[in-house]
Amino acid sequence: MNFRLTKHLYYSLLLALPLFAATACGSDDPASPATAETPQTPTTGGLTESAQPAAPHWTVQWQGTDERPAWQTPDMTAYECSMMGLVTLCPALMPTASEDDMIAAFVGNECRGVCNLYLYKEDGAEKQECFGFLFLRGNTGDAAVSLKYYSARLKRVFTVNNCFEMIADGDFASNEDLVPAFDEGGPYACAETIGVRLPETVPFTPGDGDELAVMCGSECRGTVASLADGLYRLKVYAHTPDEPLTLAYYSAAQGKVYRTTLPFTLKAARGTTLYLR
């Protein structure tokens, strides 16, 4: 069965059902950062450099110790209405996704629906797609629905609260993908999509195999490998808005990692463009 065709057919069927307005779940699209073209500061602390023979392959650390939840589909007769829809996993968590993962809907502490994650990758596609078809039960007047995602590989439960309102026999994600920001409901309390530019004075030429990362000490808090219009866009995570962070750049051609020495914070970086210097 062609999953993409099935997905489009699913959306077409949902168009005949009542719609709802999502309140807290947004798209996790790093291609659209909330940053303006305003330099943070001309001040520079200089770059340090160190030999790095192989690519560092920086990744954000999501690993936890959560046991697999015992989420159960509720008794269908205990509630007066239902909702259904498709939930798409956010890009940040797709690399570790598996079909052992689960997505569940909650009202308060009550599980109102649960499904397994479905992974699909078309021939020739670079990335796989990860979806869950969720059917949930509820009552008119219920509080807002929250969504939880359990990653079997990461052993962590991610939560997005107040995702949408319960509508009797309605649907969600009928016109576009619902992409809950599960990555923002994990170990990091703060997240921002920032822009970074390379000044002309950097001692290397950007090329294939290069990586840019935001670091907190030796811990990666965000990374990107592609360059678009001279502006690197990456989502960065921190425990607090004032946690000190630095930039690191791996040059494959030079076999070196270049790091900034002047720290910045997510609070200060909001609405600005940072420079590697």
Side-chain angles (χ1 to χ4, degrees):
M1 178 182 295
N2 186 301
F3 182 77
R4 183 173 295 277
L5 179 60
T6 303
K7 177 181 173 183
H8 289 171
L9 177 60
Y10 176 81
Y11 282 153
S12 297
L13 291 174
L14 286 182
L15 288 175
L17 299 175
L19 304 179
F20 86 105
T23 58
C25 290
S27 172
D28 181 359
D29 181 6
S32 302
T35 57
E37 282 296 302
T38 306
Q40 181 194 21
T41 171
T43 304
T44 175
L47 296 177
T48 64
E49 60 181 66
S50 58
Q52 181 75 36
H57 299 301
W58 289 307
T59 57
V60 178
Q61 298 302 306
W62 302 105
Q63 199 69 36
T65 58
D66 296 336
E67 297 291 333
R68 185 176 183 83
W71 295 330
Q72 297 291 328
T73 301
D75 179 2
M76 301 292 284
T77 63
Y79 303 96
E80 63 185 43
C81 59
S82 64
M83 287 186 73
M84 61 186 297
L86 182 146
V87 180
T88 301
L89 188 63
C90 59
L93 299 177
M94 283 187 180
T96 53
S98 78
E99 293 191 345
D100 290 327
D101 298 355
M102 299 186 295
I103 296 174
F106 279 78
V107 174
N109 294 323
E110 293 184 357
C111 179
R112 298 294 183 84
V114 61
C115 66
N116 282 94
L117 200 65
Y118 182 88
L119 274 57
Y120 175 78
K121 185 176 182 180
E122 286 189 339
D123 293 340
E126 293 185 3
K127 297 180 180 180
Q128 65 183 1
E129 299 180 82
C130 310
F131 304 93
F133 292 96
L134 191 61
F135 183 83
L136 58 139
R137 300 290 293 178
N139 298 311
T140 303
D142 272 343
V145 177
S146 298
L147 295 178
K148 294 179 181 289
Y149 166 66
Y150 174 71
S151 169
R153 289 176 177 166
L154 297 176
K155 296 187 180 299
R156 184 177 290 278
V157 174
F158 299 83
T159 303
V160 176
N161 292 315
N162 304 322
C163 208
F164 53 83
E165 299 294 330
M166 188 75 193
I167 298 178
D169 302 319
D171 67 278
F172 56 89
S174 58
N175 293 324
E176 60 183 25
D177 289 354
L178 175 66
V179 189
F182 286 123
D183 56 324
E184 298 181 18
Y188 305 106
C190 305
E192 292 282 347
T193 300
I194 66 171
V196 178
R197 286 194 182 277
L198 303 181
E200 296 180 355
T201 55
V202 292
F204 56 84
T205 300
D208 293 340
D210 291 4
E211 299 178 37
L212 174 70
V214 171
M215 310 293 290
C216 182
S218 61
E219 184 180 342
C220 175
R221 294 297 182 81
T223 184
V224 66
S226 60
L227 178 65
D229 302 325
L231 177 67
Y232 290 87
R233 297 174 173 90
L234 65 163
K235 195 167 186 179
V236 181
Y237 306 89
H239 291 297
T240 70
D242 296 311
E243 192 170 29
L245 307 167
T246 56
L247 298 174
Y249 188 96
Y250 167 70
S251 169
Q254 296 290 334
K256 293 181 180 180
V257 169
Y258 300 87
R259 298 176 185 268
T260 59
T261 57
L262 187 68
F264 69 93
T265 67
L266 286 189
K267 180 189 292 185
R270 186 178 296 120
T272 69
T273 298
L274 303 177
Y275 286 82
L276 185 81
R277 59 189 177 193

